[in-house]
Amino acid sequence: MEVVAPSLARLEEFFIVLLIIFFMELILVILFFVYRTEVAEYARGDLKLGLRLYESEGNIGLTNAWNIIQTEEYSRGCGEVNPSKWFVQGCYDTIETLLEKQTAVIGSIMMSIVVIQILGMAFSMTLFHQISRTGKKYKA
């Protein structure tokens, strides 16, 4: 029975792809934190534009999205006679508050992804060196 192992070229390619993805993610995170204010203002402006286009012709998807965001339970005349059911805080502020509360969870998920990527790169390079040291040729 013939032993089939990954070729050295494939292991190198796997490592390079993981490294490129890792650096792209790292650059994205750094840019996000450097330009956080600009990103927040862009998001706020985009939400305001969405409200201006609400119920305009050809924007049924946008209108439906805003309807879903603004209602928890839809009922006829909801909030017309009972102002206590009105949302006091805007959508953007609500999402921003939610993200701030979930910072630890988001950070933990990001760190887990980073660890998995680093382990994948380390394992691929370890396997690459083990195969190249033996000098054996394998069919891929």
Side-chain angles (χ1 to χ4, degrees):
M1 187 150 116
E2 185 175 0
V3 176
V4 177
S7 70
L8 294 179
R10 286 191 183 159
L11 289 173
E12 283 180 303
E13 290 170 5
F14 179 70
F15 176 79
I16 291 171
V17 168
L18 280 180
L19 190 63
I20 290 170
I21 291 171
F22 180 73
F23 281 129
M24 287 173 47
E25 289 172 349
L26 186 63
I27 290 169
L28 185 66
V29 168
I30 290 170
L31 287 175
F32 176 77
F33 283 111
V34 168
Y35 294 106
R36 186 183 343 188
T37 306
E38 289 84 354
V39 170
E41 289 304 315
Y42 177 77
R44 189 180 295 270
D46 208 28
L47 286 172
K48 286 181 181 180
L49 175 63
L51 278 176
R52 282 197 298 271
L53 295 174
Y54 180 78
E55 290 191 335
S56 63
E57 191 172 325
N59 288 313
I60 188 90
L62 180 68
T63 301
N64 288 339
W66 274 111
N67 287 340
I68 291 168
I69 289 171
Q70 290 295 322
T71 57
E72 289 177 354
E73 295 175 8
Y74 177 76
S75 60
R76 189 175 299 267
C78 176
E80 286 179 6
V81 292
N82 189 358
S84 67
K85 294 197 178 232
W86 294 352
F87 289 110
V88 178
Q89 191 177 25
C91 294
Y92 179 82
D93 295 328
T94 303
I95 292 171
E96 190 175 43
T97 302
L98 176 69
L99 289 175
E100 286 174 4
K101 287 181 182 178
Q102 301 298 327
T103 302
V105 174
I106 294 169
S108 298
I109 291 170
M110 289 173 61
M111 289 305 297
S112 299
I113 292 170
V114 166
V115 167
I116 290 169
Q117 287 177 327
I118 290 173
L119 285 173
M121 289 186 291
F123 289 144
S124 71
M125 284 311 291
T126 302
L127 189 58
F128 170 77
H129 286 295
Q130 288 291 355
I131 291 173
S132 64
R133 269 192 207 137
T134 61
K136 294 182 180 176
K137 302 290 181 192
Y138 295 98
K139 289 186 180 180

